Amino acid sequence: MIDLKQNVQYVKSVGPAKVPLLNSLNIYTIEDLLTYFPRDYEDRSKTKNIADLVNGEEVTIQATVVSEVTINRIRKNMTIIKATVEDNTGRCTITWFNQTYIKQHIKRGETYKFFGKAVNEFNHFEMRNPVFDKVDTSKNTGKIMPIYPTTYKLSQTAIRQAVENALNMVNGKLSETLPDYLLNEYNLLDLQNSLNQIHFPIDMEQRIQARKRLIFEELLTMQLALLELKGNSEKNKGITFDKNAKMSDVINSLQFKLTKAQLRVLEEIDTDMESEKPMNRLLQGDVGSGKTVISIIAAYKAVKSGYQAAIMAPTAILATQHMEEFGKILAPLGIKCELLLGATTAKNKKDILERLQNGEIDVLIGTHALITENVTFKNLGLVVTDEQHRFGVKQRTAIAAKGNNPDTLVMTATPIPRTLALILYGDLDISIIDELPPNRKKIETYAVTKSMEERINNFIKKNIDEGRQIYVVCPLVEGKEEEDETTKDLKAVKEWTKIYKEQIFPEYKVECVYGKMKPKEKDEIMQKFKDGEIDILVSTTVIEVGVNVPNANIMVVENADRFGLAQLHQLRGRVGRGEYQSYCILKYEGKGKNTRERMKIMCQTNDGFVISEKDLELRGSGDFFGTAQHGLPELKIANLFEDIQELKVIQELAQKIISDDPLLEQEKNYRLKKLVENKFTNRIEI
Ligand code: ADP
Ligand code: MG
C-alpha cells in the first residue's frame, strides 16, 4: 500500500519550482493533490462540424490542414502562425500567437483535433490558440477536461499533469476507505475509480457517480466525527451546578422584561447546568436579540454555585463592551468581574492573574489573552465564547481545558437554518432566540441605484446635522489575484475615504479603519467614533466591528450587490442600537434579476433566519458556509446547499451506526474508525 502522506514533491512533474505553488493551494501531500477536486469541467469529447460552429463557443473540430503553415513576425514581441483547415462541411482558419514551436508539430495534409474558441469574423470562422492532437491521440482533446481552482502562476496544464501522475502513482495501491457493506448498500463506486473519474471522467454520468461516493465519504466522516465528539464529552462527568443558585435573582433585578425566547433558552441552559453532563450548547440569535444578558445570567448561576466563569470575545472592543454590561448587572449582586486584554499592562495583568488564581475574581472577560498559559483559574466552571465563528474548535477546547470539564456556551449571531445547524453543529446542543425585544424600531432598508445618489447624500447630511453618525462599508477593490485581502482592503478604504472626505462631505469629519491598521490604532478610531468625534466612518468588512454605537443610525453599503445577504444583514445590525430611527442604504448597480431579488429581500425582512435561508437559495452555500469560518473541518467536495438531501440521509445513517457501535469497534466499521481518526487530527489543526 502507498503512503498518501508523502510529500507532493515525489509526484512526477512536480519539481522544486512547483512545490511552493502547490503549497500555496494547500497541497502538501499526495493525498492533498488527489483530493484537490476540479471546480468545473470542459467537455472536449464531442467534435462538431465546421459548418455548425457558433460564434464564441469553445468546441472541438476534427479537420485536415489544407494550406501551408505560415509564420509572421508582426512586431518585436508578436509572431502569428496561421493555417487553413477543412472538414467535410467547411473551412476555418487556425491562428496561434507567440507559439512558434507549434509550427513543427503541424503539417499540411495531416488531420488533427483542435479545441478552442471559435470566432466568426466577416463570415469566416477562426479558432485562436487552440490545443490540438493528432487525430488518433487524445491528450488535449476528445475528452472531458477538469478545470481546477488555481492561481495565475500555476497553469491548468501543470495541475492536470501533476494530478494525472499522482493517480498513476497510486493506481492499484490504494486501500479502500469505506466499508464494503456501505459500498454495496448505497451502490457506491470504489475509491480508486472515484478518484479517477472525478478528475478525468469518461463521461458525465461517471463523474456524477464519483462525486456521489466522495461526498458520501466526506459527509459521513464529518457526521461520525461530530457524534463521537459529542459522545466523548457526554461521557465525562461535568459540574452539577447548585439548584439554589437561582437565575431569577438576576432576572428580577433587570431593568427590562426578558422575551419569551430568552426565557426558554435560559430554561434550557439552567437544565444543562444542573445536570451532571457537561453543557455543550450553541446559542444562536440575531444581532440585538439579547444574547449577552443570557450569558450574564448563566455566569451568575455558575458563580453562586461556587465556580468562576470565563467570557471570551474576538476583539478588545467587544470584550470591553461585555465588561461594561456584566459589571452593570453583576456588580450590584456582589459579583467581581475583571477584564483581561492583550494590551493590559504587565502590572495589572500580574495582579489580575493572582486574584484569579486565589478566587477573588468571579468572572474573567477578555480576548484570546484568556487562553495564554499563565492564566490559571481557581475553579473554572463555565466558559462562554461570543461570536463563535471567529474562534476555531482548538481555541474553544483550549479555554475549556483550564477547568475540569466546565460547561460551555457558544454564542453566535450568524443565523443558520435549523436543519443545517443541527447537522453542522452535531457536537453541540442548540438554543435559538428567534424574537427581538419589544419596541425595537425596525431598521428601514432602502436599495438604491446611482440616480438616487443626491437625495441619499442630502438625507445623510440632514442626519449628521441632527447629531447622528454614519457607517460606510465598501467592498474590496478588485485587484490582481496575488494581492491579499489586506492590500485590497487598504486600497478600497483609501479610495472611498477620499471620495467621501473630498468630494461628498468635505464639511464633516470622515475617518477610516482598515485591516492592516495596528489593533491599537483601530481601537483608537473606534473609540473616537464611539465618543462622537467622527461623523462618518469608512471601512470594508475586513474590519467586522460588532461595536455598539447607539448614536450611529445610518449604514451605507457601497456596491451592495457584491455582498452576501447574510453579510448585509450582519452589517445592518450595527445600526438600530439606540433610540433613533435607523436606516440601511444599499447602493447597487447590478441590473440582474437575481440582484434585484436579493435587494428586495433585504428591504422586506429583518429576520436573520429568513435571510439566511434565502441567501442559501439564491447564492449557494459558498458564502457563509465557508465551514472553516464555523470552526468545522473544511469540506472539499460536498456543498451544504446542493447536497442537503444527501446530508440528511447521511446524518441518519451516522446516528444509526453510532448507536449500534458507539466507539466504531466492530470489525465491519474498522475503516470508518480510521476515517474519523484522520478527521480528528485535521480538526485539531484548524
Ligand atoms: P446580541 O448580543 O444578541 O446582539 P445584546 O445582548 O447586545 O444583543 O442586546 C442588545 C441590547 O438589548 C442590549 O442593550 C441589551 O441590554 C438589550 N436587551 C436585551 N434583552 C432585552 C429585553 N428582553 N428587553 C429589552 N432590552 C433588552
Ligand atoms: Mg453580542
Side-chain angles (χ1 to χ4, degrees):
M1 288 299 147
I2 191 157
D3 178 13
L4 292 175
K5 302 282 180 210
Q6 277 180 79
N7 195 306
V8 69
Q9 75 189 54
Y10 297 115
V11 175
K12 217 168 80 189
S13 85
V14 178
K18 295 224 179 78
V19 172
L21 295 175
L22 288 169
N23 289 171
S24 77
L25 300 172
N26 276 328
I27 301 171
Y28 296 91
T29 64
I30 295 178
E31 181 175 20
D32 294 337
L33 185 59
L34 291 173
T35 55
Y36 195 72
F37 298 118
R39 69 169 160 77
D40 205 353
Y41 298 84
E42 205 166 68
D43 191 347
R44 303 181 183 173
S45 63
K46 295 177 196 73
T47 52
K48 223 174 167 180
N49 288 332
I50 291 178
D52 299 332
L53 292 181
V54 175
N55 189 22
E57 77 176 330
E58 299 217 298
V59 61
T60 309
I61 57 171
Q62 180 170 323
T64 308
V65 179
V66 294
S67 71
E68 284 306 322
V69 182
T70 61
I71 177 158
N72 277 308
R73 184 172 300 269
I74 309 232
R75 52 188 139 85
K76 199 162 162 237
N77 291 318
M78 171 76 87
T79 53
I80 294 188
I81 297 185
K82 263 188 198 299
T84 304
V85 301
E86 183 181 277
D87 67 7
N88 292 334
T89 67
R91 285 189 167 199
C92 162
T93 305
I94 308 269
T95 314
W96 286 279
F97 297 94
N98 288 342
Q99 299 179 53
T100 30
Y101 65 92
I102 280 177
K103 189 163 190 303
Q104 67 214 53
H105 297 289
I106 291 278
K107 296 204 169 54
R108 184 171 190 160
E110 295 264 357
T111 304
Y112 301 88
K113 287 180 290 187
F114 299 94
F115 174 84
K117 192 172 184 173
V119 182
N120 188 340
E121 280 199 327
F122 310 113
N123 262 334
H124 178 78
F125 271 99
E126 179 175 312
M127 195 176 260
R128 290 177 191 160
N129 292 326
V131 292
F132 60 95
D133 291 311
K134 280 195 180 155
V135 67
D136 48 0
T137 62
S138 282
K139 188 160 169 46
N140 296 309
T141 64
K143 58 186 178 189
I144 299 170
M145 299 296 275
I147 300 176
Y148 295 94
T150 182
T151 67
Y152 77 111
K153 288 181 194 145
L154 192 65
S155 70
Q156 288 293 336
T157 321
I159 299 197
R160 274 179 207 137
Q161 191 62 61
V163 172
E164 198 175 331
N165 290 339
L167 283 169
N168 288 335
M169 201 170 156
V170 303
N171 197 9
K173 298 181 194 141
L174 277 183
S175 345
E176 176 55 54
T177 42
L178 284 174
D180 294 335
Y181 79 95
L182 288 178
L183 291 175
N184 291 334
E185 192 176 331
Y186 288 87
N187 215 350
L188 301 169
L189 276 190
D190 63 273
L191 180 63
Q192 180 78 58
N193 268 316
S194 303
L195 289 175
N196 288 339
Q197 294 302 321
I198 200 77
H199 289 291
F200 300 104
I202 297 175
D203 58 38
M204 285 303 178
E205 178 53 31
Q206 286 299 304
R207 185 194 74 87
I208 291 169
Q209 291 304 323
R211 187 172 184 278
K212 180 178 151 196
R213 181 239 144 87
L214 293 166
I215 64 171
F216 186 95
E217 175 174 327
E218 181 168 56
L219 294 175
L220 182 62
T221 308
M222 173 174 90
Q223 289 303 303
L224 290 173
L226 288 172
L227 288 176
E228 192 170 320
L229 201 63
K230 187 171 189 181
N232 279 344
S233 77
E234 282 174 355
K235 255 197 339 247
N236 294 329
K237 216 167 144 202
I239 299 163
T240 311
F241 289 91
D242 192 350
K243 278 197 165 38
N244 297 315
K246 295 228 176 308
M247 290 187 165
S248 53
D249 295 347
V250 197
I251 298 175
N252 293 333
S253 82
L254 295 173
Q255 311 266 356
F256 45 78
K257 242 180 94 193
L258 292 180
T259 61
K260 272 208 214 79
Q262 284 172 314
L263 289 169
R264 187 188 61 232
V265 164
L266 278 174
E267 186 75 47
E268 291 164 350
I269 293 174
D270 205 22
T271 310
D272 279 359
M273 288 182 78
E274 286 176 10
S275 107
E276 67 172 24
K277 273 196 309 194
M279 169 166 79
N280 278 302
R281 191 167 279 281
L282 174 74
L283 174 55
Q284 271 200 68
D286 225 333
V287 198
S289 60
K291 293 184 293 295
T292 313
V293 71
I294 301 289
S295 63
I296 294 176
I297 296 168
Y300 174 84
K301 183 169 179 97
V303 172
K304 283 291 161 184
S305 306
Y307 292 88
Q308 291 168 304
I311 320 294
M312 191 160 77
T315 65
I317 299 186
L318 278 174
T320 312
Q321 209 166 279
H322 280 327
M323 179 64 206
E324 283 167 25
E325 291 178 53
F326 271 72
K328 215 161 50 192
I329 295 173
L330 293 183
L333 298 166
I335 290 175
K336 181 77 191 138
C337 302
E338 268 297 351
L339 181 67
L340 183 71
L341 305 173
T344 307
T345 60
K347 187 165 159 280
N348 274 338
K349 201 174 265 176
K350 185 162 170 282
D351 172 59
I352 290 174
L353 293 181
E354 257 175 46
R355 288 189 294 130
L356 185 70
Q357 195 160 7
N358 65 29
E360 283 170 54
I361 294 172
D362 300 311
V363 181
L364 185 66
I365 299 164
T367 53
H368 292 81
L370 298 197
I371 321 181
T372 48
E373 272 167 40
N374 51 5
V375 177
T376 316
F377 290 82
K378 182 176 181 216
N379 198 4
L380 179 62
L382 175 71
V383 170
V384 179
T385 50
D386 191 9
E387 309 294 330
Q388 194 259 345
H389 62 282
R390 303 287 193 100
F391 298 112
V393 173
K394 193 177 175 183
Q395 289 153 321
R396 251 203 274 153
T397 328
I399 177 80
K402 291 187 179 287
N404 192 8
N405 292 321
D407 278 11
T408 56
L409 180 65
V410 173
M411 305 199 290
T412 173
T414 312
I416 307 178
R418 190 176 182 100
T419 39
L420 257 183
L422 283 171
I423 290 168
L424 278 182
Y425 292 101
D427 59 330
L428 303 175
D429 295 311
I430 298 176
S431 292
I432 297 180
I433 309 186
D434 50 6
E435 179 187 0
L436 290 183
N439 305 326
R440 274 288 151 79
K441 287 202 187 76
K442 182 173 177 288
I443 300 167
E444 302 271 355
T445 302
Y446 300 99
V448 301
T449 50
K450 200 89 185 150
S451 59
M452 299 271 286
E453 191 110 326
E454 212 177 304
R455 282 174 64 186
I456 295 298
N457 290 340
N458 286 334
F459 179 71
I460 292 175
K461 200 166 153 31
K462 179 169 158 278
N463 278 273
I464 299 181
D465 289 341
E466 283 169 9
R468 303 289 80 74
Q469 291 161 285
I470 318 293
Y471 289 104
V472 174
V473 171
C474 50
L476 296 182
V477 167
E478 301 204 31
K480 300 196 201 77
E481 267 189 61
E482 77 264 32
E483 289 178 329
D484 66 8
E485 267 206 341
T486 52
T487 317
K488 292 181 183 176
D489 169 63
L490 182 60
K491 270 191 174 166
V493 168
K494 281 208 165 137
E495 244 170 57
W496 283 104
T497 309
K498 202 165 143 102
I499 294 174
Y500 272 85
K501 206 173 196 156
E502 291 171 16
Q503 296 171 17
I504 319 182
F505 296 113
E507 67 273 41
Y508 297 120
K509 188 129 177 55
V510 181
E511 289 285 355
C512 63
V513 280
Y514 52 89
K516 263 209 178 118
M517 227 177 210
K518 293 203 186 78
K520 191 161 162 273
E521 284 176 74
K522 223 181 281 178
D523 285 355
E524 268 169 31
I525 297 271
M526 288 315 302
Q527 195 58 48
K528 271 167 91 178
F529 190 61
K530 223 175 162 176
D531 295 342
E533 291 165 32
I534 295 170
D535 299 312
I536 299 175
L537 184 69
V538 182
S539 72
T540 65
T541 55
V542 172
I543 343 281
E544 271 180 55
V545 272
V547 181
N548 212 357
V549 183
N551 191 47
N553 78 326
I554 300 182
M555 162 65 60
V556 179
V557 184
E558 298 288 347
N559 300 104
D561 43 306
R562 287 176 47 193
F563 294 89
L565 294 188
Q567 209 176 8
L568 288 175
H569 182 64
Q570 290 281 312
L571 291 173
R572 176 163 67 183
R574 291 194 209 161
V575 294
R577 289 170 173 252
E579 64 202 273
Y580 309 105
Q581 174 60 51
S582 294
Y583 306 89
C584 174
I585 293 164
L586 305 173
K587 295 192 179 172
Y588 74 103
E589 282 155 30
K591 293 201 171 57
K593 188 164 166 274
N594 192 291
T595 302
R596 282 201 310 270
E597 173 79 3
R598 283 155 29 86
M599 294 300 128
K600 203 167 113 198
I601 293 162
M602 290 305 299
C603 299
Q604 279 171 345
T605 181
N606 267 304
D607 182 332
F609 287 96
V610 173
I611 288 171
S612 75
E613 300 241 14
K614 287 284 181 191
D615 200 22
L616 262 183
E617 197 180 308
L618 291 170
R619 226 175 117 104
S621 65
D623 178 34
F624 75 78
F625 293 119
T627 41
Q629 234 202 24
H630 294 273
L632 292 164
E634 180 201 4
L635 293 174
K636 288 191 164 171
I637 187 160
N639 173 312
L640 294 174
F641 179 61
E642 284 170 22
D643 302 323
I644 184 80
Q645 285 316 321
E646 284 80 356
L647 194 45
K648 283 178 185 164
V649 171
I650 288 167
Q651 189 190 27
E652 275 176 30
L653 171 65
Q655 269 155 356
K656 211 174 103 213
I657 293 173
I658 288 284
S659 69
D660 186 42
D661 182 11
L663 300 173
L664 299 174
E665 287 167 324
Q666 293 173 21
E667 178 72 34
K668 65 171 188 176
N669 288 328
Y670 174 73
R671 288 174 185 165
L672 291 179
K673 191 172 180 66
K674 292 218 82 132
L675 278 176
V676 172
E677 274 169 10
N678 212 347
K679 200 85 202 168
F680 268 122
T681 7
N682 292 340
R683 214 181 140 79
I684 300 306
E685 278 160 17
I686 291 166

